[in-house]
Each structure stands twice: as structure tokens, then as C-alpha cells.
Amino acid sequence: GIQSYLQALLSLYKFFCPELVTIMLPRKTKIFFKKPDGPWKAAINAVKQRNQESSAVSRPLFLSTDQAQSRKRKWNSQLIIPASSANRNILEKDRGKSSVSLSMNESLPVEQVQTFSQLLQNIHRLELPSQMGSVLTNPLLLHYMNYIKDESVHLRLYYWMGQTLQEECTWCVADNYQHEEEFKDFLETIYKAECFLQEGFSACEEFLYRSLPLWDGSCCRSQVLRLLSWMPLRGFSEIKSRLCDPLAQLFLTSSVYFKCSVLESLKELLQNWLNCHAIHVDLESDS
């Protein structure tokens, strides 16, 4: 059938090798493929601009041709858990009543859970907030995320975190360096949540694998190396190509301080993996 991506691919073939494509294609087609030299041009322009500036503050190298995107959300370290429309109806209906007076069949808005004991009593009827990002700043909800086995709940957090990291990354989006402090706070919040859960987020792991080859080793250095310490260990070939090789390129040309920071991060990564492995061994022996 007529698929837009197939038309774009055939149009590309017809442009370079018209003798290979004999069918008629629409003249006006949407651009699906970016120029291959775009990232290199953006990198060269970033170096030129950085060298022309008189300021001694080093600017990160942006390897992206995308223009600065409109910031759909702005990270706030003091996130307030939002209430959905259903939550508002419950709050207005039961205003002045305690959470105990709610029927056991009714969902309980997360705003009404203030202590760990309340979380345990109402864990099976807890209604999560409409914005999953607020989970990162709420210890009670982190306990709940560690307990719940509902895959949809984890997928909501996974998609939100992955999209936010992609949009807010300081060194992957051009002209986004002015938001470096906000991005640092965001990475720091993720790291604290991982320390609380004693495990890393899969969305954060994918973000690090995807962005490490573009990282200059300077921007958000402390936060990035901390997040590395909670990455789950995979097979050696995957770890070498996706983690060690990008770090080795920076390691060989960096200062002694950066080398020590990388070694410290890898040491913590090994310690976290050994602790997790010891817990699994204990559980298997008990069972």
C-alpha cells in the first residue's frame, strides 16, 4: 500500500538512482531523512562560537541539528503531586471527613496519604497522581512503586522519564545549555530516587547509553557519573561497546580528577551490583 515512509525511501532512491525506481511518486513529500553531515556542522559551529567568546566559561559541545524546542514542561525540584479530576471530586465530596471514612471499594487520592502506616492500610486502593514525575520526590510513592507489580504503572514512569531526559538533555539539544542547572537538579533527583530504591531506572539506563557518546565529560559531570553507578550490569560485549568505549575516549584525554571520578563511579557500580547479587542469593537460599 501507499505508506509515507516507503514513499520517502523510494523518493530517496529515485533522487540518486532514478533508473531503479520506475513508479510515479508525489512531488511534494515530507522530509523524513536528515542530512548525514548535520551533526558535524553543528559541532563545528559550536566550536567556532565557543572560541569566539571572550568568556572563560567553557560551553558544552552540541552534536544536534535540532533547534531549541519549546519546553513543554519545566522541571521544578519542589514538585507538588497533582490531583486528577476524579481526585478532586472525591476531595470535594468527602471534605471534612478522614480517609478512614471512605469505602474500601473507593480509590484513595494519594494526597490523603501522609504516613507509611496509611500507605500500608490503603495500598490496594491508592490512586496514583496524573503526573508520574511527582513520584520521584515522594518517598511514600517510591515505596509503592517498589511494591506494585502493575506493569502499566512502571511504563507510565518509564515513558515520562525517557521523554523528559531526551527533551531536557543539555548536551544533546542545541542551544539548551542555559538550562544546565535545571537539568542538574533533575538528574540529582533521579539519583536520589535510585538510591532510595537501591536500583536504577531503565529509562535512565537507556538515556545514558544513548547520550554518553555525545557527552563532553564536563557538563553535569558529577550527576552523570553518579547515575552510572546504578546501571545494571549486562553482558561484557554490551558493557564494553555502550559504556566502556565512550568513557575510554574521554578518559584518555582528560584530567587526573576526571580519571579518578570515573574510577570511583565504576567502583560504586561494582559495589551496587555485588550487594544486589548477594540479596538475590539470600532469597534463593531461603526459598
Side-chain angles (χ1 to χ4, degrees):
I2 300 177
Q3 302 293 339
S4 58
Y5 51 87
L6 291 180
Q7 285 186 357
L9 184 61
L10 290 174
S11 299
L12 188 63
Y13 273 94
K14 193 167 186 177
F15 179 78
F16 290 102
C17 301
E19 69 278 3
L20 297 181
V21 182
T22 58
I23 63 175
M24 296 296 299
L25 295 173
R27 295 183 179 180
K28 294 183 178 180
T29 57
K30 185 178 179 181
I31 298 177
F32 285 89
F33 308 101
K34 299 179 181 180
K35 295 182 179 179
D37 57 346
W40 292 107
K41 288 184 177 180
I44 294 173
N45 293 332
V47 172
K48 289 181 179 179
Q49 182 180 0
R50 183 177 58 186
N51 292 336
Q52 291 174 356
E53 294 178 353
S54 58
S55 174
V57 180
S58 61
R59 295 294 178 87
L61 183 64
F62 306 111
L63 299 179
S64 174
T65 57
D66 298 336
Q67 298 297 325
Q69 304 176 357
S70 59
R71 297 172 67 79
K72 300 179 181 179
R73 63 180 67 86
K74 196 168 185 178
W75 177 256
N76 183 358
S77 58
Q78 302 296 328
L79 267 177
I80 300 175
I81 299 178
S84 62
S85 57
N87 286 354
R88 292 193 186 98
N89 295 335
I90 294 176
L91 292 174
E92 292 177 0
K93 178 181 177 181
D94 299 295
R95 183 173 297 173
K97 298 180 181 180
S98 63
S99 59
V100 182
S101 62
L102 292 173
S103 172
M104 292 303 296
N105 295 326
E106 293 181 351
S107 59
L108 178 67
V110 71
E111 292 88 347
Q112 296 187 8
V113 178
Q114 302 296 330
T115 63
F116 186 73
S117 59
Q118 292 178 351
L119 175 67
L120 293 179
Q121 295 173 3
N122 304 282
I123 196 168
H124 295 292
R125 61 191 186 100
L126 190 66
E127 182 179 352
L128 288 173
S130 58
Q131 297 182 10
M132 290 302 296
S134 56
V135 172
L136 297 177
T137 58
N138 191 313
L140 294 178
L141 287 180
L142 288 175
H143 277 301
Y144 179 77
M145 289 290 297
N146 201 24
Y147 164 80
I148 194 68
K149 301 302 181 183
D150 188 357
E151 185 178 358
S152 62
V153 175
H154 294 275
L155 283 177
R156 284 179 59 193
L157 182 61
Y158 167 79
Y159 288 128
W160 174 86
M161 186 182 298
Q163 184 67 21
T164 305
L165 287 169
Q166 180 179 355
E167 291 182 355
E168 303 293 333
C169 181
T170 309
W171 62 88
C172 290
V173 179
D175 300 329
N176 202 25
Y177 56 83
Q178 62 268 27
H179 306 291
E180 181 176 350
E181 292 301 323
E182 292 183 9
F183 192 58
K184 281 184 179 180
D185 294 338
F186 182 43
L187 296 182
E188 192 70 29
T189 302
I190 295 179
Y191 171 72
K192 292 179 180 178
E194 290 181 339
C195 292
F196 185 89
L197 296 174
Q198 293 294 292
E199 63 178 345
F201 294 105
S202 56
C204 184
E205 176 191 5
E206 293 181 4
F207 162 74
L208 290 173
Y209 279 148
R210 186 172 57 251
S211 61
L212 277 179
L214 307 178
W215 186 43
D216 61 357
S218 175
C219 183
C220 307
R221 176 172 53 198
S222 176
Q223 290 75 22
V224 171
L225 293 179
R226 287 180 179 179
L227 291 176
L228 284 175
S229 64
W230 284 111
M231 293 178 64
L233 286 179
R234 308 292 184 183
F236 175 75
S237 59
E238 182 178 1
I239 288 292
K240 183 181 183 302
S241 61
R242 305 183 68 180
L243 176 62
C244 296
D245 289 347
L247 287 178
Q249 294 180 5
L250 296 171
F251 189 88
L252 296 175
T253 58
S254 60
S255 62
V256 176
Y257 177 79
F258 181 83
K259 290 182 172 63
C260 294
S261 300
V262 172
L263 294 177
E264 179 69 18
S265 177
L266 295 178
K267 185 196 74 171
E268 293 178 358
L269 172 64
L270 181 58
Q271 288 178 342
N272 292 334
W273 182 81
L274 289 175
N275 291 333
C276 181
H277 182 70
I279 293 175
H280 287 303
V281 170
D282 293 340
L283 292 177
E284 291 177 358
S285 61
D286 292 341
S287 59

